[in-house]
Amino acid sequence: MIKNALLSLKKNIGKTILLFVIIVVITNLVIAGLSIQSATQKSMDQIRSSLGNDVTLSVDFRNMMKNREPGAAVSNETSLTTTMADSLKNLKYVESYNYQISTSADSDSISAVENKSDNSNNQQDTNKPNDQPEQASNQGDFTISANTTMEYLDSFTNSNYTLTDGRLLTSDDANTNNCVIETNLASDNDLSVGDTFAITTTVNND
């Protein structure tokens, strides 16, 4: 049987060579395709990791207004919980996370920076970070923003803010009175690193 096969190959040497070449070409194409697919996947993973993205988890009050019953009030008690956030922070592509909460405050120890404007409707509190939501004028002279860490805040990563003295806060500062304040606020009130002042939130007496 093998002898007949060898005789057939010799008899049809041209067709044999052609089939061999075709098989080799197809094999190389398959291998090349698999290599390209693997390289593409690795490249996409690298690009995804290098570019990254910022995701903000917050209550969608607009959607709540849209889906409410006609004439019904929207509850202001709806809020996010750490349990909700914790379900996201351990996902595969989450590199870092930051919990943030804000409130307003007043103070008898320091004075807020005055911001004069010809148009009172366009006035903005200079003590309020640009990435914080607007607060009503009767909500206090200051905005306190508590974060898990300040390292990844957009204001610093985008170079909108620059640390001039001291250091940014981290999770190690939890349960302390350490804070970072705006340069003009420090200058107007003769404050430097290590000084203390008192503020009181407008929602309670803390």
Side-chain angles (χ1 to χ4, degrees), residues 102-106 135 138-140 144 200-206:
S102 297
T103 189
S104 56
D106 289 318
Q135 300 286 342
N138 60 354
Q139 291 297 304
I144 308 171
T200 304
T201 61
T202 58
V203 293
N204 51 39
N205 294 323
D206 292 340

Side-chain angles (χ1 to χ4, degrees), residues 19-86:
L19 288 173
F20 178 76
V21 172
I22 292 174
I23 292 173
V24 171
V25 170
I26 293 175
T27 302
N28 288 333
L29 290 175
V30 171
I31 294 174
L34 294 174
S35 299
I36 292 174
Q37 182 180 13
S38 177
T40 301
Q41 184 63 43
K42 290 181 179 180
S43 177
M44 290 176 63
D45 290 340
Q46 290 177 354
I47 291 174
R48 188 181 294 111
S49 299
S50 61
L51 291 180
N53 203 352
D54 292 332
V55 177
T56 300
L57 179 65
S58 60
V59 178
D60 191 347
F61 287 105
R62 290 186 179 180
N63 189 54
M64 293 173 60
M65 290 287 292
K66 180 180 178 181
N67 294 325
R68 69 187 176 91
E69 294 293 332
V74 176
S75 175
N76 290 326
E77 297 180 356
T78 302
S79 61
L80 298 175
T81 65
T82 53
T83 301
M84 298 177 187
D86 287 343

